[in-house]
Amino acid sequence: MPFRQQHYTEHTLTVNAPARSLYGLVADVTRWPAVFEPSVHVDLLEHDEYSERFEIWAVVNGEVGSWVSHRTFDADALRITFQQERSRAPIASMGGEWLFRELDGGRTEIVLRHDFTAVDDDPGTVRWINEALDRNSPEELAALGRIAESGHAVDELVFSFTDTAELPGSAADAYDFVYHADHWAERLPHVSRVRLSEPSPGVQDLEMDTVTSDGSAHTTRSIRVCRGQEWIAYKQRVAPRLLLGHSGRWNFADGREGTMVTATHTVAINPAAITEVLGEGSTLADARAYLRDALGRNSLATLTHAGEYAAARLTVGVD
């Protein structure tokens, strides 16, 4: 292997929150797309008490890239290490660690370190990687601080829920309905405007105006990752006021008599917006119930129309 110079970065932030709560938030990689701005989707491949492997899609210097990482956990030392298994050019290798240092007064210093090498040791590439780390790392640290310092338990702010429907027709046709979101303004009553582009194969940029069951209108913008005809994952880049983050995934599978489609949501609530959005006296529990109903209702509406679309194509014999 050619010799490549190793480069190192370190970013830190001190927050008023217990170290173990912060460690737990970082350790649960499935929550990252709802918590960290750069993270788009995580597909957990292997996991046990001490290590895991996952594929992650994230925005790096304005573009969506993906890679597989391996992590190890040391809960006693409050330390998580990570290493990309196969980095994507122009990055030759990338690894690092999270450390959570307990300080006086219940405070914690979060330390995020990276080590990397660049293809051909090109100075321009080294600068590009440093710029990405200097942009993403502070954003991730700040997001941890917002969640942990909110005064609410992490599990109350960041939670997931799932809706499942058995639909007529094929999984391929149901997938086609969700994939072609550029037609949703014509096909879905709760969508009034859509703008869809696909900057690279399987990666979509979706902006749309929607109306929830209580008549509230929202403009959202999402990045979507589409894999075969199996699943479509999304991360809202512009979310409603009540949310700090929202990610999700549609799974499609052929069943015995039709298609099983599952819509999963993971959300991070913005507690500062609860009163503004839901009114005086509203609580975090009210916000959880509101989001579960509003987002779930829209998902089920989309699933219903996807089923009608798939059934119609089955009736006319479209292959």
Side-chain angles (χ1 to χ4, degrees):
M1 293 180 59
F3 172 80
R4 296 188 179 97
Q5 183 177 353
Q6 198 84 12
H7 302 271
Y8 302 89
T9 68
E10 180 174 298
H11 297 84
T12 66
L13 181 69
T14 298
V15 299
N16 291 310
R20 293 209 171 272
S21 294
L22 291 158
Y23 173 90
L25 190 53
V26 174
D28 187 354
V29 73
T30 64
R31 293 176 168 180
W32 281 17
V35 174
F36 294 142
E37 179 64 25
S39 299
V40 175
H41 180 59
V42 173
D43 197 12
L44 192 57
L45 306 175
E46 300 173 14
H47 176 81
D48 60 36
E49 183 180 355
Y50 302 104
S51 66
E52 69 182 7
R53 294 176 63 246
F54 58 86
E55 186 172 6
I56 184 170
W57 288 259
V59 178
V60 180
N61 281 344
E63 297 182 355
V64 177
S66 66
W67 57 90
V68 174
S69 280
H70 178 268
R71 298 204 302 171
T72 61
F73 304 104
D74 187 338
D76 293 332
L78 297 175
R79 181 172 182 259
I80 301 170
T81 64
F82 56 89
Q83 182 69 48
Q84 292 182 6
E85 292 187 355
R86 183 178 300 166
S87 299
R88 295 182 54 167
I91 299 172
S93 68
M94 176 75 74
E97 64 180 358
W98 292 86
L99 291 172
F100 303 88
R101 294 174 174 162
E102 296 176 305
L103 304 176
D104 293 338
R107 297 176 303 139
T108 301
E109 182 187 32
I110 313 170
V111 181
L112 176 55
R113 294 172 176 154
H114 289 86
D115 58 81
F116 68 88
T117 59
V119 173
D120 299 327
D121 280 329
D122 179 77
T125 298
V126 173
R127 184 169 57 252
W128 182 87
I129 298 171
N130 274 314
E131 288 174 354
L133 293 175
D134 287 342
R135 179 180 299 107
N136 285 8
S137 297
E139 287 182 1
E140 292 173 351
L141 293 173
L144 287 177
R146 280 195 300 272
I147 296 290
E149 294 181 327
S150 68
H152 300 280
V154 169
D155 289 343
E156 294 295 313
L157 289 179
V158 186
F159 66 99
S160 300
F161 60 89
T162 297
D163 291 307
T164 300
E166 186 171 2
L167 308 177
S170 70
D173 286 336
Y175 175 95
D176 183 74
F177 182 92
V178 178
Y179 177 83
H180 288 289
D182 49 327
H183 298 300
W184 280 4
E186 310 148 25
R187 295 173 172 172
L188 294 175
H190 65 276
V191 177
S192 60
R193 181 187 65 88
V194 175
R195 182 187 60 78
L196 180 72
S197 62
E198 192 159 334
S200 61
V203 177
Q204 297 180 335
D205 188 335
L206 171 65
E207 182 178 281
M208 62 181 181
D209 295 338
T210 62
V211 179
T212 57
S213 58
D214 65 354
S216 302
H218 303 283
T219 297
T220 60
R221 184 175 179 183
S222 303
I223 294 174
R224 305 206 307 176
V225 178
C226 310
R227 172 158 288 184
Q229 294 181 338
E230 299 175 10
W231 54 260
I232 295 174
Y234 60 88
K235 159 66 174 282
Q236 285 192 349
R237 300 298 301 279
V238 177
R241 178 83 174 98
L242 192 55
L243 293 175
L244 292 173
H246 177 203
S247 64
R249 174 163 151 165
W250 306 83
N251 287 309
F252 306 85
D254 283 315
R256 291 182 178 180
E257 299 181 0
T259 300
M260 294 300 297
V261 183
T262 301
T264 300
H265 300 264
T266 300
V267 300
I269 298 174
N270 179 7
I274 293 175
T275 299
E276 174 190 334
V277 175
L278 301 181
E280 289 291 337
S282 297
T283 65
L284 183 57
D286 294 328
R288 288 170 59 88
Y290 172 85
L291 290 166
R292 176 64 180 92
D293 178 71
L295 297 176
R297 190 183 298 269
N298 279 357
S299 287
L300 288 173
T302 302
L303 291 178
T304 298
H305 287 274
E308 293 172 354
Y309 173 84
R313 291 171 67 85
L314 184 66
T315 300
V316 299
V318 176
D319 296 324

